[in-house]
Amino acid sequence: MGKLGTQELLIILCIALLIFGPKKLPQLGKAIGKTIGNFKRSSAKAEAEPMEEEQAEA
């Protein structure tokens, strides 16, 4: 399975517009952005913690 192309993204966007409506899409996008940002921060923090523990033990 390859990457999504322009046509696929447009189809997904149209379906989302039909399901959620034009007023809810910006709120939905903002919520998804915050979720992705929190996930990235948490994963970066989880990766940094073992390194800090190893440095403290040495």
Side-chain angles (χ1 to χ4, degrees):
M1 188 171 183
K3 295 182 179 183
L4 292 176
T6 306
Q7 291 179 341
E8 290 87 359
L9 291 175
L10 287 174
I11 291 171
I12 292 170
L13 181 61
C14 289
I15 292 171
L17 185 61
L18 290 173
I19 292 173
F20 297 109
K23 292 184 180 180
K24 285 285 185 180
L25 280 182
Q27 295 171 353
L28 189 63
K30 187 176 181 180
I32 290 172
K34 284 184 178 181
T35 302
I36 291 172
N38 286 336
F39 178 76
K40 285 183 178 180
R41 278 193 295 277
S42 297
S43 63
K45 186 177 179 182
E47 288 179 6
E49 286 178 357
M51 290 181 179
E52 290 174 1
E53 291 176 5
E54 289 175 5
Q55 291 174 353
E57 290 175 1

